[in-house]
Amino acid sequence: MKEEIIVSGRMNPMVDPNLQIWHWQIPLYLFLGGMAAGILCIAAVYFIRGRENDYRTAVRLTPFLAPVLLVLGLLALFFDLRHKLYFWQLYTNIRLQSPMSWGAWTLMVITPVSFIWCALHMQDLFPNWDWKYKWLKALESFFNKYKKTLAWIMLIYGIILGIYTGILLSAFNARPLWNTSILGPLFLASGISAGAAATLLLSKNIEERRQFARIDLIMIGIELFLIVHMFMGFLASTQVQIDAVRMFLGGQYTASFWVFVIFLGLLIPALLEIMELKKYHIPAIIPAVMVLFGSLMLRFIIVYAGQMSRWLY
Amino acid sequence: MRYAMAVDTRKCVGCSDCVVACQTENNVPIGYCRDWVVEVTDGTYPQLEMEIRSERCNHCANAPCVRCCPTGASHIVEGGIVLVDSTQCIGCGACIASCPYDARFPHPKGYVDKCTFCEHRIKNGMSPSCVEVCPTKCLYFGDLDDPSSNASVVLKKRKYKTLIPEAGTDPQLYFLI
Amino acid sequence: MANRREFIKISLYGAGFLAAGTGTYKVIKALSKREKEEITKLAIDLKRTPTYCEVCFWKCAGWVYKTPEGKIWKITGNDEDQHCNGRFCPRGTGGIGMYYDEDRLKTPLIRTEERGKQVFREATWDEALDHIASKIKEISSKYGPESLALFTHGSGSAYFTSLFKAIGTDSIAEPSYAQCRGPRDEAFFATFGEEAYSPEITDIRDTKCLVLIGSHIGENMHNGQVQEMSDAIDKGTTIITVDPRFSTAAGKSKYWLPIKPATDMALLLAWIHEIIYNEYFDKKYVEKYCTGFDQLKAHVKDFTPEWAYGITTIKPDLIRKTAKEMADASPAVLVHPGRHVTWYGDDTQRVRAIAILNALLGSWGRRGGFYRPARFTPASPEIPAYKVPSKSWTDLFPGKFPVATSPISNALIDASIPENNPGFPIKGWFINGTNLIQTIPDQGKTLKAIQNLDLLVAVDTMPMEITGWADVILPECTYLERYDAMRASPHRKPALALRMPAAETAYNTKPDYWIARELAVKLGLGSYFPFEKQEELLDWQLKKIGSSLEEMQRVGVKNFDREYDDLYIADDEDVTIFTDSGKIELYSAYFKQNGFDPLPKYIPHEEPSEGYYRLIYGRAPMHTFSRTSNNPNLTDLMDENTVWINPKVAKEWGITNNQLIWLKNQDEVISQFPIKARVTERIRWDSVYMVHGFGHAQKQMKRCFGKGASDTQLITKVLEDPIMGGTGMRGNFVTFILEKTETEVAS
Ligand SMILES: Nc1nc2c(c(=O)[nH]1)N[C@H]1C(S)=C(S)[C@@H](COP(=O)(O)OP(=O)(O)OC[C@H]3O[C@@H](n4cnc5c(=O)[nH]c(N)nc54)[C@H](O)[C@@H]3O)O[C@H]1N2
Ligand SMILES: Nc1nc2c(c(=O)[nH]1)N[C@H]1C(S)=C(S)[C@@H](COP(=O)(O)OP(=O)(O)OC[C@H]3O[C@@H](n4cnc5c(=O)[nH]c(N)nc54)[C@H](O)[C@@H]3O)O[C@H]1N2
Ligand code: SF4
Ligand code: SF4
Ligand code: SF4
Ligand code: SF4
Ligand code: SF4
Ligand SMILES: [Mo]
């Protein structure tokens, strides 16, 4: 028998006996950021491709969620900080190697952009909206003039933000479960899927809904592919990564991962969406909510399980 | 200059004096620690082997904790010592998640804390507290660029290993075996 | 300049006291050499006071450092001190927690309800001491002063012993005799005419072969020994460890002999056999200094390694090989005498076998064996002579334990129970610095004795179990708040060490000297304490040798040169050996006279029955008995004990790691608290192991209450050593209770 014990009562709270430094705030932040990224990317793409009028909800309405999600996400991040009064230090430093720094700066750019985007569409939401002050009106017309550039910025930073929510974790090679480059694309796909689900929820236009069900389906397909790919990668890797992925294949996260993420979050909504595309009547709200839930659970489970996985020595 | 520590697992008795001495020297609050002791027993009675290790931050030459810190609070000073500036640290925990050795912890005051190699002492020509207190004298500290330092001498003489070299952090805590 | 000094002062306290940062580092680096020296001097002048540690009885001398705010910052060793060489052990380093423990005793308490019900009222010192004085007078006049017993351990003993001698009793016992090293001392007296002392005169530093029979150095954290063993490992010394458990020391040994418990005597006899019949012994030495060789040789004739194998389970070739290793190293070989040796009731004889082995190998008085100690004795002030008590502790049970040279704590307890028909009754206990409930086996007997007392006083720093039974509790301040008698232990060089207060006295507590003297004054015995204050006494003693209290406060430790260069016996030197025969007695005529075996014999001991396991116990390096179990710094390192169970046994029982279980002994006593199982290969399948000192039942100690189990509670069977009265404690067997049923809870 091999016995390995920590002799002195090493009990650093949140670190021992296993890492628990991140609680609900970080996965929530990753989910909100990812969803916002998805929404903004979709809006930007359709705008750039000139399909604004076909997909009015996605381009003009759903983006109103983005600033709210981003601010909530930032708040969650803020709540996670233990030395809150020093928050501003994030913005006196640019650390290119730190995903956390990246994320902070990306948010710094994309949050105002999302606000501006909403401002440009205020009249869609409130037909009688009036900017009252002259300088505000001037600003509006300025941004309207460069709306395409704005959309490009939004797209690029949206993608960065979406990938970042995965990279943040995969940069930590100390946690075998996170140590895979698949997390970036996986979280991006999951974010776009969540963004699509948001439009699915809000849109009253049947054509638009069908289009977003299709997008969602594609994303779910990509996600499933990436997850399988990730598991195979882990299983073909070192012992610590095999141990890590075993948490999902018989270990303590098996039930929650397969039930909440795979079935309820991916397969069932996919099935429902296929049925809807085949013209069965399915209330759109059901698959959409399930996708959002699955996307949230994915973050929670990956963040928590990742903290349980560790190197052996 | 490249500071390093060597731990003689053959002499260490696991008494944890290094832990309590660090706690008092550095005013580490009760319930937290910058160093700790691991005991590994392998085999079947009576064919047994034991290794005891006093562990702490490895002051990695390729430190992921420094890389992932968004504020620069985690930084490296002369001699390769990895430090945290408590007035710059926002307590985001990224460095904690990035350390394969779990060598860092959130100080109850909010910032992240860890072994400093007792930088405040070595700058005054003293050895780190844990090294100075260890009753078995199994901790050796010194500058690897100086061939006559305690650490250099003992590393030249003895076989050693580092922990999780495959994590690629280039740890500077050596375990004599 | 003022600011600079201020800065320097602050920077001394390092990263933890400032917000850690690079800023400090840069400034410190810019200091000149002179300024650095100034810092060091400032640190020394302003902030540190000498002490010697009281967390165990090794008594290391060190320094207590304080922060600018006057908080105790840290405790470190004194470089000049031979006991610690500048390095404290974890318990000494964490001694700071003895002072800051908020559960400490805070003010004198007088019991207001019947004994055992813990109902007390707060009292002033005057009231409490008056109460005690009048009770002492009452007992003295009714039964005679010898009916008062003092149980004491630790540095306060010096003054309480004076007080009780002045009162007229010699029933003054320390648990370090009959529960600890008594058998060893008597065995060494009988063999060498001298004891093994404390600190032990073991020359581990220079040995070439160290043999540890159950001594678990490294867990037994007696500082100097741990340090010297480590040096020995560095030098490649051969270490042979005999232990049924894979102790830390076993893990560092060239040979580990995983002996079946209670059979060490057979191994020792086989080694003696090997060493004699292979002519490995030091012939010149044996011829010149020893007597009784021929009898010994005849005695061990049949004790071959094969014979021992059947008993000990140690393979014959391993016994042979290790005997040869010892012989090769002779005389720089040390068969360690052990310290806590009260195991199986034949302990004096077992240590006699160890002594004989050392004598044959010529290690007594030799480099790498046992050095010859030197000690400095401070002057004593003129005090009236103590009256020789009309009845002595030896009259309690005439004829019993004829060889004992110190009062036997458990005999004093026996004598407190009238049914035992003692020579005279013990009616009052004054207890200082020993937690009899956790320290003396067979708790039932101790409690019965307590019910027969007219007075029980406990002087302690913590609300330990024993204080719960006291009529009066006197709260002593900790060693960090007081002066004490100077430490003058024997060592390689004679030395003195000073303890002085490092911090303000917390709460309404007082030091031992003050308590003893006040009580003496109240009893009309003030003349035995001619100095009102302890510092006056210390200064007077130090001035006698051309030093002063002021100097000792500065240096902490003073080492003296030996009078003669006699650390080791020189080749062929004529030395005085203090036995009756003037020789090292391989054959003990003295034991023979007293009706005991002159040569050690193997006697089989009882073995566990089916489903039971021998309960063995020992030390954890970060705790001292029960005294540190509530220490905030040390509980942080280890806050409970576990019961070690071999994986085979655990599997049989379905016990998993960290499972909470209860232990039940052969007398149906169930541990009051559950204890976590540690399933580990480090213990034999026929035994379980636990660290002594946990399982406290005293609620006032909030951190340790109910944490782990108490070995003492389960040691109800005592294997008494007929030679000197030691309480063998390893003849108890336990089984596991996985779930406690109602009836079991009730019992
Ligand atoms: N079951 C079992 N029993 C044993 C042992 C064992 O291993 N197992 N070991 C035996 C051995 S080897 C020994 S030496 C004895 C030791 O026996 P003890 O000396 O009784 O050991 P402790 O449990 O440390 O109890 C010391 C008491 O002194 C108090 N104290 C601490 N500091 C001070 C102080 O400065 N002043 C005063 N007045 N009191 C103080 C503590 O609070 C505690 O109540 O125990 C023996 N008994
Ligand atoms: N950390 C720490 N150090 C201490 C103390 C403390 O409280 N804490 N107390 C000090 C004091 S006063 C004393 S007396 C010493 C005691 O320290 P030692 O004299 O070293 O103690 P023992 O109780 O003899 O040894 C315990 C060891 O004996 C083994 N053992 C059990 N049964 C047998 C047997 O039948 N045969 C053999 N060969 N071995 C057996 C156990 O497995 C365990 O490893 O420690 C001193 N040092
Ligand atoms: S103080 Fe030394 S011997 Fe004790 S645990 Fe630490 S490194 Fe090991
Ligand atoms: S051990 Fe951990 S905290 Fe220390 S330098 Fe390496 S990664 Fe950073
Ligand atoms: S917790 Fe502090 S030191 Fe660690 S990464 Fe965050 S800011 Fe840097
Ligand atoms: S070097 Fe200093 S800070 Fe690091 S573990 Fe040792 S005592 Fe603690
Ligand atoms: S050995 Fe440890 S506890 Fe004992 S006196 Fe020395 S420092 Fe104190
Ligand atoms: Mo002892």
Side-chain angles (χ1 to χ4, degrees), chain C residues 53 55-60 88-89 91-92 221-223 624:
Chain C
C53 180
V55 188
C56 86
F57 309 105
W58 197 257
K59 298 188 180 153
C60 301
F88 265 20
C89 89
R91 302 164 295 151
M221 208 59 207
H222 271 174
N223 201 339
T624 305

Side-chain angles (χ1 to χ4, degrees), chain C residues 153 176 179-181 339-340 619 625:
Chain C
H153 205 186
S176 52
Q179 280 68 48
C180 178
R181 56 199 175 88
R339 185 168 176 122
H340 171 68
R619 317 276 172 246
F625 310 116

